């Protein structure tokens, strides 16, 4: 028997448990070229909130009564593709379910000898690649620049700050708890950090932290903290828009101060991106990331929810509210 | 005797006549390497409003009792630089005055055989170069794309639309009077245009005009019309921030809807620039612009205020309120 989480109502504001439903169904059978996989870890990510809406996005929305979309770390149970054997571990996009069918073509194998397989959904997976390409390719980070990261203790932000340190930059992060602040400064080596819940005047705080301005701002959060960056940007500054998690769950969209004139005075750039824009270079980036990990230059933490697939909605909602440090996963099953 | 316009009060909202003062002083004497020039046309431009404030900008603010900054088309009265002769015509940055001293180094000569010398402050000057580099270098316009221009009947916007047409693009402009709309469509060849004062639902209007979205938005205006672009951007769309004239004269800064999440879904970019960022390429661009002008591919109109230097504040305020079609100039003196 297979168990899935479907979307049964489009959330207004933060998702609620009742927007999801646990559905039992039969385990499907792979066709030629496909594999059947068993989910070991389910990844819950901020982008999924956007897929629950009806508005235009870069990918199709989840329809009512469809299985929630998402990536998993999974083990192959049955293979009808020559490149995959039973027990191989892969990163698959089968959504929130215990078993699923994936095409073998383009499926990424996870090598368990490099790092725990859960990292395939974190620092050696989509969030790590997002940090890497967002900072280096979109942000065009140069050695020695000043970097600010919002959502700095999350799966992406925590990697952004560490790559910036590898590049010899000064990096400050914002996050939403003192525990997160201690983590990114003491364990990850950020130069400084602040708990945005304990600061009221963000522009003044950033002016104090960056007397000569910010070269690259990596934005996971949006809202008031992002507003505060524009008056503190350096000439030719870059703002990388990776996420806007503060805005995803608002019942009534916020307004904010207009800031585009700062882009003229500073000759600055704001740019959004998706990690999939760089898919032809993911493999090379993962080699680099794995090397940094092995050298101890990159560290990571995971927040793993137990309780199986039925706990995915709770874990997802907790992540949206900042309950995680590092990558948020849901443990679904043990490896065979 | 020399007459100058100085700033005597920092404007709150739109500048008033009483923020300026007409001052009489003696005509200065050039030193070695300098020239004394007599202003023929004074250029009044939106950027000058920013120089009247105290807040951070890309250039020093005008101080109280200082002469207002700005460019002029002028004739040389006395030369202590070997490259310039009396009666030569130049583009100089001497501010709002009848006579001024300029260094010969870097001074740009105007060739009166190419076009009327007033174009040296318009289509063959700073505004034309702003359109050229903003659209082609910052906007990276590709042949056949869709382009939207706000402030489309102004000195910059009118050139942006025409260059887009030269590049085989579909271009629509917005402006603030039916006369301006007729001008840009009937005379300049824009594909379509609308009077923003007669439209209430800008997002719907743009959706109707661009069923497949906007590739490049060239923004001279900011505010509500710019807000409406983001939901209508195409994937990999570019927003070029040249000016934000709707925002310069607000007593209380506006707020607006937050739109950065659109940049993620569309993998889009917003970038501000100054024409001075491209100063090493101004000469080559002017050759191209002069050629297009000669071929009849570029047209222009000027709004020339008479009445001498004492009329500069009135002309400036009128331009800020949209009273001009094409480049706004003030006629100061006749050529010798």
């Amino acid at each position: 028997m297979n168990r899935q989480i479907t979307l049964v109502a489009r959330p207004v504001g933060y998702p609620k448990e009742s927007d999801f439903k646990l559905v039992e169904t039969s385990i499907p059978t792979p066709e030629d070229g496909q594999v059947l996989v068993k989910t070991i870890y389910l990844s819950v990510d901020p982008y999924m909130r956007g897929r629950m809406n009806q508005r235009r996005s870069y990918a199709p929305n989840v329809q009512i009564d469809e299985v929630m979309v998402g990536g998993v770390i999974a083990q192959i149970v049955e293979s009808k593709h020559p490149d995959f054997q039973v027990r191989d571990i892969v990163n698959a996009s089968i959504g929130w379910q215990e078993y699923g069918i994936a095409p073998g073509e383009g499926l990424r194998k996870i090598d368990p000898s490099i790092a725990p397989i859960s990292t395939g959904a974190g620092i050696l997976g989509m969030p790590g690649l997002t940090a890497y390409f967002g900072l280096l390719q979109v942000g065009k980070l140069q050695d020695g620049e000043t970097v600010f990261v919002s959502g700095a203790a999350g799966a992406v932000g925590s990697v952004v700050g560490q790559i910036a340190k590898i590049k010899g930059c000064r990096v400050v992060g914002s996050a939403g708890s003192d525990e997160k602040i201690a983590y990114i400064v003491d364990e990850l080596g950020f130069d400084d950090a602040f708990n945005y819940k304990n600061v009221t005047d963000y522009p003044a705080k950033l002016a104090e932290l960056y007397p000569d301005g910010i070269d690259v701002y990596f934005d996971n959060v949006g809202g008031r903290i992002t507003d505060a960056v524009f008056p503190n940007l350096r000439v030719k500054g870059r703002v990388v828009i990776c996420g806007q998690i503060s805005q995803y769950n608002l019942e009534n969209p916020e307004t904010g101060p207009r800031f585009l004139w700062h882009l003229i005075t500073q000759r600055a750039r704001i740019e959004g991106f998706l990690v999939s824009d760089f898919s032809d270079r993911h493999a090379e980036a993962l080699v680099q990331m794995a090397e940094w990990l092995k050298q101890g230059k990159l560290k990571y933490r995971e927040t793993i929810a137990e309780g199986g697939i039925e706990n995915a909605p709770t874990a997802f909602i907790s992540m949206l509210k900042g309950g995680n440090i590092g990558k948020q996963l849901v443990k679904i099953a043990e490896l065979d």
Side-chain angles (χ1 to χ4, degrees), chain A:
Chain A
M1 193 188 63
N2 187 19
R3 297 192 307 158
Q4 312 171 316
I5 302 289
T6 62
L7 179 69
V8 293
R10 299 208 181 277
V12 178
Y14 275 101
K16 303 180 298 295
E17 306 270 346
S18 61
D19 297 329
F20 304 94
K21 186 178 168 189
L22 181 68
V23 172
E24 298 189 348
T25 177
S26 57
I27 296 175
T29 306
E31 297 177 7
D32 278 354
Q34 295 181 328
V35 296
L36 171 68
V37 302
K38 179 180 84 164
T39 301
I40 308 299
Y41 293 103
L42 170 66
S43 175
V44 289
D45 300 274
Y47 77 83
M48 294 170 178
R49 180 64 186 83
R51 304 286 178 89
M52 301 173 80
N53 294 329
Q54 249 172 334
R55 67 185 179 188
R56 181 182 79 159
S57 186
Y58 54 91
N61 300 316
V62 179
Q63 298 303 309
I64 296 297
D65 291 327
E66 274 187 358
V67 175
M68 277 291 295
V69 294
V72 302
I73 302 299
Q75 192 166 29
I76 296 195
V77 174
E78 186 180 349
S79 175
K80 291 195 173 160
H81 189 287
D83 294 350
F84 296 93
Q85 310 303 318
V86 170
R87 302 172 68 99
D88 279 354
I89 297 156
V90 295
N91 191 323
S93 291
I94 61 165
W96 295 18
Q97 54 184 341
E98 291 176 332
Y99 292 91
I101 298 288
E105 193 67 34
L107 200 63
R108 182 165 73 86
K109 272 191 211 179
I110 305 278
D111 179 350
S113 71
I114 294 174
I117 63 169
S118 57
T119 59
I123 195 158
L124 296 183
M126 185 273 286
L129 292 167
T130 300
Y132 183 94
F133 288 106
L135 187 63
L136 301 180
Q137 294 303 314
V138 184
K140 301 211 183 302
L141 186 71
Q142 303 297 309
D143 293 1
E145 290 191 318
T146 59
V147 178
F148 177 52
V149 192
S150 59
V156 174
S158 59
V159 182
V160 168
Q162 293 181 86
I163 296 177
K165 288 311 301 175
I166 290 170
K167 298 291 180 186
C169 294
R170 177 164 184 275
V171 60
V172 179
S174 63
S177 77
D178 292 345
E179 185 190 1
K180 291 178 178 179
I181 297 307
Y183 169 62
I184 64 178
V185 173
D186 299 341
E187 286 191 46
L188 302 187
F190 280 56
D191 295 287
D192 210 334
F194 64 93
N195 180 345
Y196 71 85
K197 293 177 181 170
N198 295 340
V199 171
T200 49
D201 188 342
Y202 297 150
K205 183 70 181 174
L206 290 178
E208 173 200 319
L209 286 164
Y210 297 94
D212 298 317
I214 298 167
D215 289 306
V216 174
Y217 170 47
F218 193 105
D219 187 16
N220 294 302
V221 169
R224 285 183 52 233
I225 202 126
T226 298
D227 297 338
V229 167
F230 295 103
N232 286 292
L233 270 184
R234 289 184 87 163
V235 165
K236 295 282 177 187
R238 286 87 72 200
V239 173
V240 179
I241 307 292
C242 175
Q244 296 280 286
I245 199 170
S246 73
Q247 307 297 300
Y248 297 160
N249 298 291
L250 297 174
E251 289 191 45
N252 299 304
E254 279 184 6
T255 60
R258 297 196 184 281
F259 51 74
L260 293 177
W261 64 270
H262 287 290
L263 301 189
I264 306 174
T265 60
Q266 303 309 96
R267 282 72 66 74
R269 169 166 65 85
I270 314 178
E271 191 161 346
F273 78 107
L274 296 176
V275 65
S276 54
D277 297 339
F278 300 94
S279 53
D280 58 331
R281 298 177 55 191
H282 285 187
E284 73 178 73
L286 287 174
V287 169
Q288 175 66 84
M289 296 286 284
E291 189 182 321
W292 283 334
L293 195 61
K294 195 175 152 193
Q295 293 168 341
K297 291 180 180 172
L298 287 183
K299 297 173 183 171
Y300 67 95
R301 212 187 264 193
E302 294 164 339
T303 301
I304 301 181
E306 302 288 339
I309 194 79
E310 55 267 57
N311 204 28
T314 309
F316 175 61
I317 295 165
S318 167
M319 180 277 302
L320 287 176
K321 293 182 175 175
N324 58 307
I325 292 189
K327 176 64 197 155
Q328 175 75 59
L329 297 163
V330 186
K331 180 76 179 286
I332 305 297
E334 297 296 333
L335 280 178
D336 284 328

